[in-house]
Amino acid sequence: MKHTLRLLASGALAVASAFAAHAEDFRLGLITPPPHIWTKAAEAFGADLAEASGGAHSVSVFPARQLGNEAEMLQQLQTGALDMAFMTVAEVSNRAPDFGAFYAPFLANDIGHAARIIQSDYARGMLDQLPGKVGVVGLGYGMAGLRQIVSRGDVSSAGDLAGKKLRITPFEPILDFYSALGAAPTPMPLPAVYEALANGQVDAIDMDAELIWVLKYYEHADTIIESNHMMFPMVGLVSAKVWAGLSEDDRASISELMNKHLASVVGSYVEKDPVWLGQVKDTGKTYTQVDPAFFGDAVDAWNAKWSEKSTALEGLRAVAADTAE
Ligand code: BEZ
């Protein structure tokens, strides 16, 4: 009897330690603040993964740039110091310029169209280059709302933005766009933007409706220009080093659950982007709706430049044409 108990105990120990050897607490970093849709989705993904793995895996989410800015987090993913991230495609496009094509001005006609472009097979296929070029595995896309302009002063034409310090997300496609417009694009990561607008360090910002409304950026502005000039994709990343050490089962489950939550991010913006814009409009601030003509030659200038820089521009335009309603 004693012998049988000893055998059972050692068997249970072996099973437990096999589990422990594969158990992981994954670290997932992102720059958005805790109430942001991306952060909530990362937390929901972690809860789902913990449940699906019977508690063997968990995900610790580090929002608001706790682990560094996106460039730093990308480096950490490359070395395996960070396991996962929900990251702007903007940052990825600094290393893999093909992704700059997503920022073709007015590629998407509206937020629903942006979702269809981002969820196309062509866009998904673009992720295949990431392990070789950047050292990360791209599991799928999320996004934020379309881009708008928020200004401290009156803006009735693009000429009013000439020479103005206009905050941009730090990446090349948007720098090229505002340079072509004649503004003074000022790269600044998201967590620094609220203060910079509030204290007049910048005259205007390029931003999406969620942050303009939910984080109340509009309070420090006089004019909101609804231009919908660019889409703003996000990508769910896993370190290629970490990915290489995962079992096929773990990979399948992480991929399925992360994609589930990325898709829900996309769905949230499709639903809420127009609602937030309506709420901003109702604040009584000067609210202008503009079309591509507002930007004059800047759209053509951008297209000419980026047809040289990205091999994906034509492909994404074809997707955009096929998915327009
Ligand atoms: C931005 O840089 O404007 C931004 C970054 C992440 C999410 C949304 C907006």
Side-chain angles (χ1 to χ4, degrees):
M1 178 68 176
K2 248 189 191 167
H3 180 68
T4 315
L5 279 178
R6 219 179 292 129
L7 268 180
L8 278 174
S10 65
L13 208 64
V15 170
S17 51
F19 227 149
H22 293 101
E24 292 269 6
D25 179 31
F26 297 107
R27 287 151 49 91
L28 188 156
L30 65 177
I31 59 166
T32 48
H36 192 270
I37 286 181
W38 295 7
T39 313
K40 297 257 180 248
E43 280 159 0
F45 156 67
D48 263 8
L49 185 63
E51 192 184 331
S53 65
H57 297 321
S58 55
V59 179
S60 297
V61 176
F62 296 88
R65 215 167 49 149
Q66 281 175 38
L67 301 179
N69 61 30
E70 287 195 324
E72 288 161 343
M73 281 195 277
L74 203 48
Q75 274 174 2
Q76 293 164 25
L77 287 169
Q78 287 167 332
T79 62
L82 177 62
D83 301 300
M84 301 173 177
F86 281 2
M87 191 168 281
T88 64
V89 167
E91 181 59 42
V92 174
S93 75
N94 288 331
R95 318 275 179 118
D98 261 3
F99 287 81
F102 282 114
Y103 304 97
F106 301 101
L107 179 68
N109 300 331
D110 54 41
I111 191 78
H113 191 204
R116 293 191 293 280
I117 294 169
I118 222 57
Q119 291 173 332
S120 65
D121 289 344
Y122 184 86
R124 178 161 283 281
M126 287 171 66
L127 297 173
D128 293 346
Q129 62 183 284
L130 288 181
K133 275 202 178 133
V134 192
V136 292
V137 176
L139 292 184
Y141 294 100
M143 68 179 189
L146 297 176
R147 305 304 285 187
Q148 323 296 347
I149 301 169
V150 173
S151 163
R152 283 172 64 92
D154 289 341
V155 179
S156 44
S157 74
D160 293 334
L161 293 171
K164 291 273 162 65
K165 287 184 86 175
L166 194 154
R167 175 272 166 175
I168 56 164
T169 308
F171 72 115
E172 225 178 293
I174 204 157
L175 183 83
D176 288 346
F177 182 63
Y178 282 109
S179 298
L181 196 65
T186 307
M188 187 177 284
L190 182 64
V193 177
Y194 186 89
E195 275 300 310
L197 185 66
N199 66 27
Q201 195 186 331
V202 291
D203 304 304
I205 61 172
D206 178 281
M207 192 47 70
D208 66 68
E210 178 183 17
L211 290 152
I212 297 170
W213 172 250
V214 182
L215 294 196
K216 304 202 183 306
Y217 287 17
Y218 70 88
E219 285 183 352
H220 301 288
D222 303 300
T223 308
I224 291 93
I225 302 168
E226 183 189 326
S227 50
N228 296 315
H229 55 276
M230 264 178 205
M231 47 196 278
F232 202 77
M234 171 265 262
V235 60
L237 298 176
V238 179
S239 157
K241 273 202 171 149
V242 171
W243 190 250
L246 294 175
S247 68
E248 281 301 324
D249 282 354
D250 281 347
R251 287 183 186 181
S253 149
I254 289 168
S255 178
E256 183 195 325
L257 295 174
M258 195 182 274
N259 271 293
K260 170 182 154 189
H261 289 284
L262 292 173
S264 94
V265 165
V266 173
S268 294
Y269 286 102
V270 171
E271 184 192 327
K272 291 183 181 156
D273 216 42
V275 178
W276 288 319
L277 287 174
Q279 283 164 320
V280 175
K281 196 173 181 180
D282 287 347
T283 59
K285 299 272 176 185
T286 305
Y287 192 92
T288 323
Q289 287 166 292
V290 303
D291 63 15
F294 174 86
F295 295 96
D297 295 341
V299 176
D300 286 345
W302 192 97
N303 286 331
K305 199 164 197 175
W306 277 85
S307 57
E308 306 282 320
K309 288 190 184 183
S310 170
T311 60
L313 191 52
E314 240 177 79
L316 278 181
R317 281 205 191 290
V319 171
D322 283 352
T323 53
E325 277 177 347

